C-alpha cells in the first residue's frame, strides 16, 4: 500500500523507525518528507503530490502535531481527497472534531515491534475496505491549498506561540524564535515546556556553532593565518563535531596535527574516609556484611561529604556521606521488582499521591539498558522494595547528592571534564537515537566513578523542582530530573542543568538510579 506519513518534528525518531519497518518489513511504499524533500524542489507542491498519490494517510497524534499549521493543512487536504486515514496516537492528545468517528491506534506505550503489529493489522483492514470501494475518489477534486501562513499568535495561547516559534526557526529568524520559545516556557504548559526548552537550547547551540565556524572561515581564507584556522578547527570539532561543515574543512584542514587532550585524573575515595558518628551506620554495616540479596549490575560507590551550589539561585547545600549506585537501574533489575509482586504490594505505594501504578513496557527492553517509561511514583516504589530486600536505607538521590556525585567540586560542566565529548556519553550529538547499555561509557565516569550522569536518560530525584529544600514524597509536585538524555542536546546534559517533570510523567527519556543514605563498608 502507498502510505503518506504526516508527523511533527519532535516525534521524528520513532516515526523514522516506524517508516523504515513499514517499508522494509511489511513491504509498503512509504512517503515521508525526510526522503522525498531534497534541495531544489517546491517543498509544498511535493508534499501535496505525495498526498494525492497515497492510498492511506497516516498521521501521528501529539500536542505539537495539533499545534502545527502545516501538519493540520496536510490532514485537511487528505480529508478533502477522501483518503483512508489512520491516526497513530504517540502522545496524549485529542482527535480533531472532524475525525471523531475514526478509531485511532494508541501506540504511545508500545515497543516498536508491537506498534508495527498494530499498524499492520489496521492497514490490512483499510486495504480490505479499499478493495470493497469504501473510499471512492471525490467527484470533483478539491482545490489544492496554498502554503499555510501563520496568523498573529495569541500571547495567552502557548500552542499558537509554539507554532509561530517553529515558523521563525524555519525562516531563520533566531531572535524571534528565542523570544517566542521563552514565552512558551514561561507559560508553564505541561505539553510543550520540555520541547521548548530543548529547542531553545539547540537554537542557542546552533548560533554558537555558526559563530565559531565563521571565525574559522576568516582565518582559513588567508594563507598567513591558515595555521590558526587549523588550531581553531580542532577546538571546533571537539566542541561541535563535524555535522555542520559547509566548506568541508574536515578534509581541507585534515593535515592539522592532533593535540593530545590533557589527562583528567579521577580520584576515588578511600574507605577510611567514611568514619561516621551516625549510630545507624554500624547497624547497616553489620547487615551489609551478611545480606544475600543481590541484583545484576547493582554496584555501590561511596561518596564523601561535600558542598554543592545549584543553578538559578537555587541555593548552596551541605551533603553528608552516602553511597550511590554506579549504574542506572536496568530493565533486568526492574523486572525483578515486577516479578516479586512489586505492583501488587501496597506497602511500596503507601502515602504516594499517585497511588498504586500499572506497569508499562519500556521503549527499549534490552536487559542492561536503563529502565525508562517509569514515573516518579514507580521509582519510589522500586527503591522501597530494594531497601526492604537489602535491609539498607535506599532511596532516590536528592538533587544535591546527585550533583555532588556527578562532578564533586571540580567546577566541570560534564562528569568527565569541562568540555563536551560525544564519545563519552549518549546525547543527541552521539547519534545513537535510543538508550545504550548502562556500562557503555566507562570513559565518561564522574570523578567518583559513577557512570551515565550525562546523557542516556534523565534521572528522577527526590527533590521538588520549585522548592529544592523539600523532599516531601507525599505530594504530587514537580520533581527535579538531572543529566539529559539520548534525545537531548549537550546543553541539557550539563551536570548542573536543572529540569523539572511532573511525578506521573512516563517517557522513554526518563529513568533513575538509587542511593544508600549512609556509606557502605
Amino acid at each position: 500500500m502507498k502510505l503518506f506519513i504526516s508527523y511533527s518534528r519532535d516525534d521524528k525518531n520513532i516515526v523514522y523507525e516506524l517508516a523504515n519497518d513499514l517499508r522494509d518489513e511489511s513491504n509498503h511504499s512509504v512517503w515521508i518528507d525526510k526522503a522525498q524533500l531534497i534541495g531544489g524542489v517546491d517543498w509544498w507542491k511535493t508534499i501535496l503530490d505525495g498526498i494525492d498519490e497515497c492510498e492511506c494517510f497516516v498521521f501521528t497524534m501529539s500536542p505539537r502535531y495539533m499545534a502545527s499549521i502545516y501538519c493540520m493543512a496536510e490532514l485537511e487536504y487528505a480529508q478533502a481527497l477522501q483518503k483512508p486515514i489512520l491516526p497513530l496516537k504517540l502522545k496524549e492528545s485529542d482527535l480533531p472534531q472532524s475525525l471523531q468517528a475514526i478509531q485511532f491506534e494508541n501506540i504511545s506505550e508500545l515497543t516498536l515491534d508491537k506498534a508495527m503489529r498494530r499498524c499492520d493489522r489496521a492497514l490490512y483492514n483499510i486495504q480490505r475496505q479499499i478493495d470493497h470501494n469504501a473510499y471512492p475518489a471525490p467527484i470533483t477534486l478539491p482545490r489544492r491549498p496554498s502554503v499555510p501562513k501563520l496568523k498573529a499568535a495569541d500571547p495567552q495561547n502557548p500552542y499558537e506561540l509554539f507554532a509561530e516559534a517553529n515558523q521563525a526557526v524555519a525562516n531563520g529568524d533566531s531572535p524571534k524564535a528565542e523570544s517566542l520559545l521563552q514565552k512558551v516556557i514561561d507559560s508553564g504548559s505541561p505539553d510543550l515546556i520540555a520541547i521548548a526548552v530543548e529547542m531553545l537550547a539547540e537554537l542557542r547551540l546552533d548560533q554558537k556553532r555558526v559563530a565559531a565556524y565563521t571565525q574559522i572561515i576568516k582565518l582559513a581564507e588567508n594563507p598567513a593565518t591558515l595555521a590558526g584556522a587549523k588550531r581553531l578547527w580542532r577546538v571546533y570539532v571537539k566542541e561541535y563535531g563535524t555535522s555542520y561543515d559547509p566548506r568541508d574543512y574536515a578534509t581541507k584542514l585534515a593535515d592539522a596535527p592532533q593535540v593530545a587532550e590533557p589527562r583528567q585524573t579521577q580520584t576515588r575515595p578511600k574507605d577510611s574516609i567514611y568514619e561516621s558518628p551516625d549510630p545507624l551506620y554500624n547497624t547497616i554495616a553489620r547487615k551489609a556484611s551478611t545480606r544475600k540479596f543481590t541484583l545484576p549490575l547493582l554496584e555501590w560507590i561511596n561518596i564523601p561529604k561535600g558542598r554543592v551550589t545549584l543553578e538559578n539561585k537555587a541555593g548552596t547545600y551541605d551533603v553528608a556521606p552516602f553511597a550511590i549506585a554506579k549504574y542506572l537501574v536496568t530493565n533486568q533489575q526492574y523486572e525483578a521488582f515486577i516479578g516479586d509482586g512489586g505492583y501488587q504490594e501496597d506497602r511500596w505505594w503507601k502515602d504516594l499521591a499517585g497511588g498504586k501504578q500499572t506497569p508499562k513496557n519500556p521503549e527499549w527492553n534490552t536487559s542492561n539498558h536503563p529502565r525508562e517509561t517509569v514515573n516518579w511514583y514507580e521509582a519510589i516504589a522500586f527503591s522501597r522494595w530494594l531497601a526492604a530486600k537489602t535491609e539498607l536505607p535506599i532511596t532516590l538521590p536528592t538533587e544535591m547528592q546527585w550533583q555532588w556525585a556527578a562532578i564533586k567540586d571540580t567546577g566541570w560542566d560534564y562528569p568527565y571534564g569541562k568540555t563536551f565529548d560525544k564519545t563519552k556519553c549518549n546525547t543527541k550529538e552521539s547519534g545513537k537515537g535510543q538508550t545504550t547499555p548502562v556500562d557503555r561509557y566507562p570513559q565518561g565516569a564522574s570523578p567518583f566513578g559513577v557512570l551515565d550522569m550525562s546523557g542516556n536518560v534523565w534521572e528522577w530525584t527526590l527533590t521538588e523542582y520549585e522548592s529544592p529544600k523539600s523532599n516531601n514524597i507525599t505530594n504530587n509536585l514537580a520533581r527535579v530530573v538531572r543529566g539529559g538524555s539520548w534525545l537531548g542536546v549537550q546543553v541539557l546534559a550539563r551536570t548542573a542543568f536543572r529540569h523539572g517533570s511532573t511525578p506521573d510523567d512516563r517517557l522513554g527519556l526518563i529513568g533513575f538510579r538509587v542511593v544508600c543514605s549512609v556509606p557502605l563498608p
Side-chain angles (χ1 to χ4, degrees):
M1 185 183 298
K2 292 182 179 179
L3 308 178
F4 182 100
I5 299 184
S6 178
Y7 67 101
S8 70
R9 291 291 170 184
D10 64 320
D11 302 320
K12 65 182 180 181
N13 288 295
I14 187 171
V15 171
Y16 290 167
E17 288 190 59
L18 189 62
N20 289 338
D21 281 359
L22 286 169
R23 182 190 64 237
D24 299 336
E25 304 296 330
S26 300
N27 296 318
H28 293 290
S29 172
V30 179
W31 196 105
I32 190 167
D33 61 5
K34 178 186 178 184
Q36 267 73 24
L37 293 183
I38 59 176
V41 303
D42 182 328
W43 66 275
W44 185 243
K45 177 180 180 299
T46 304
I47 287 174
L48 298 182
D49 288 345
I51 299 174
D52 282 340
E53 296 169 7
C54 78
E55 296 173 287
C56 180
F57 181 91
V58 180
F59 80 94
T60 53
M61 297 166 56
S62 70
R64 189 168 173 185
Y65 185 97
M66 301 306 175
S68 168
I69 58 172
Y70 302 105
C71 292
M72 296 309 292
E74 292 171 4
L75 177 58
E76 290 170 5
Y77 184 54
Q79 287 181 272
L81 290 171
Q82 298 180 22
K83 298 286 184 178
I85 292 176
L86 174 58
L88 301 178
K89 189 173 186 178
L90 294 185
K91 297 174 184 174
E92 192 57 44
S93 53
D94 295 325
L95 276 169
Q97 192 63 37
S98 60
L99 292 176
Q100 290 294 312
I102 296 179
Q103 179 60 46
F104 60 81
E105 287 288 353
N106 187 352
I107 64 172
S108 61
E109 296 170 352
L110 301 181
T111 63
L112 185 60
D113 286 343
K114 289 182 179 178
M116 268 292 299
R117 288 198 290 273
R118 287 279 186 90
C119 290
D120 276 338
R121 182 184 64 184
L123 291 170
Y124 173 76
N125 289 332
I126 289 173
Q127 183 62 64
R128 290 183 62 188
Q129 294 177 55
I130 292 173
D131 294 342
H132 289 85
N133 202 31
Y135 297 98
I139 297 174
T140 304
L141 288 178
R143 218 176 138 185
R144 282 191 155 197
S146 55
V147 179
K149 293 183 178 179
L150 280 169
K151 62 180 181 179
D154 178 355
Q156 305 303 315
N157 187 330
Y159 290 93
E160 290 187 11
L161 291 170
F162 188 76
E164 189 171 347
N166 275 270
Q167 182 61 41
V169 171
N171 293 340
D173 190 346
S174 295
K176 182 178 181 180
E178 285 192 48
S179 173
L180 290 166
L181 287 169
Q182 189 60 57
K183 289 179 181 178
V184 173
I185 294 167
D186 293 342
S187 76
S189 168
D191 292 333
L192 299 176
I193 187 169
I195 301 170
V197 166
E198 291 208 17
M199 281 186 65
L200 185 57
E202 191 168 352
L203 187 64
R204 288 171 176 167
L205 178 67
D206 284 342
Q207 291 171 340
K208 289 174 64 179
R209 177 167 47 202
V210 171
Y213 197 88
T214 302
Q215 277 299 114
I216 297 171
I217 292 174
K218 292 177 181 177
L219 296 178
E221 290 178 344
N222 185 344
T225 57
L226 184 59
K230 292 178 179 180
R231 284 193 294 272
L232 276 186
W233 175 250
R234 291 197 296 275
V235 174
Y236 175 90
V237 170
K238 187 175 179 181
E239 185 74 17
Y240 304 108
T242 57
S243 58
Y244 180 79
D245 184 17
R247 302 214 175 190
D248 193 25
Y249 286 148
T251 300
K252 296 176 182 176
L253 303 179
D255 61 339
Q258 298 299 310
V259 176
E261 295 182 35
R263 293 184 64 185
Q264 297 166 350
T265 58
Q266 293 186 351
T267 59
R268 300 294 293 272
K270 297 179 180 179
D271 292 340
S272 59
I273 294 174
Y274 303 107
E275 297 299 329
S276 172
D278 187 343
L280 178 63
Y281 177 76
N282 292 327
T283 304
I284 294 303
R286 283 198 300 273
K287 289 183 176 179
S289 65
T290 59
R291 67 183 186 272
K292 296 180 180 179
F293 183 82
T294 60
L295 287 174
L297 286 175
L298 180 59
E299 298 181 25
W300 296 102
I301 293 179
N302 283 332
I303 308 295
K305 67 180 181 180
R307 189 171 176 83
V308 299
T309 299
L310 305 184
E311 279 193 341
N312 301 327
K313 300 181 180 179
T316 298
Y317 304 86
D318 291 319
V319 180
F322 65 101
I324 191 168
K326 181 176 181 178
Y327 305 110
L328 291 156
V329 170
T330 66
N331 284 312
Q332 186 176 12
Q333 292 171 348
Y334 198 82
E335 287 298 326
F337 165 63
I338 296 175
D340 197 42
Y343 280 83
Q344 286 75 49
E345 189 85 33
D346 290 339
R347 57 180 169 155
W348 312 140
W349 309 90
K350 184 180 179 181
D351 297 328
L352 295 183
K356 194 182 289 186
Q357 304 289 300
T358 302
K360 304 294 182 183
N361 291 322
E363 293 286 336
W364 296 278
N365 206 19
T366 308
S367 63
N368 65 346
H369 280 226
R371 186 68 172 208
E372 23 74 17
T373 318
V374 285
N375 63 33
W376 184 80
Y377 303 120
E378 292 169 296
I380 291 289
F382 175 91
S383 64
R384 287 173 166 179
W385 168 80
L386 188 58
K389 285 290 183 180
T390 58
E391 298 182 298
L392 296 173
I394 292 173
T395 66
L396 293 182
T398 65
E399 180 180 14
M400 301 75 175
Q401 287 174 325
W402 192 96
Q403 181 168 314
W404 180 243
I407 53 174
K408 196 182 173 186
D409 54 3
T410 59
W412 294 347
D413 284 333
Y414 302 95
Y416 47 80
K418 282 185 173 293
T419 305
F420 176 76
D421 186 340
K422 67 179 181 180
T423 68
K424 295 180 179 179
C425 59
N426 178 11
T427 64
K428 183 175 182 179
E429 292 82 4
S430 308
K432 303 299 182 185
Q434 65 170 69
T435 60
T436 45
V438 297
D439 56 358
R440 167 68 176 78
Y441 292 98
Q443 68 275 33
S446 81
F448 295 112
V450 189
L451 271 61
D452 268 343
M453 301 201 85
S454 184
N456 215 353
V457 289
W458 290 99
E459 301 182 33
W460 287 114
T461 72
L462 283 178
T463 305
E464 292 176 17
Y465 182 68
E466 297 292 344
S467 304
K469 293 181 181 179
S470 176
N471 300 311
N472 181 0
I473 65 171
T474 62
N475 60 44
N476 62 352
L477 299 178
R479 302 289 157 165
V480 173
V481 291
R482 287 294 203 106
S485 74
W486 57 268
L487 182 61
V489 294
Q490 67 180 67
V491 175
L492 303 179
R494 286 190 310 108
T495 43
F497 185 84
R498 303 186 75 237
H499 190 40
S501 199
T502 56
D504 57 357
D505 275 349
R506 271 197 182 105
L507 300 170
L509 308 175
I510 305 180
F512 67 104
R513 78 176 70 231
V514 291
V515 300
C516 179
S517 59
V518 295
L520 296 171

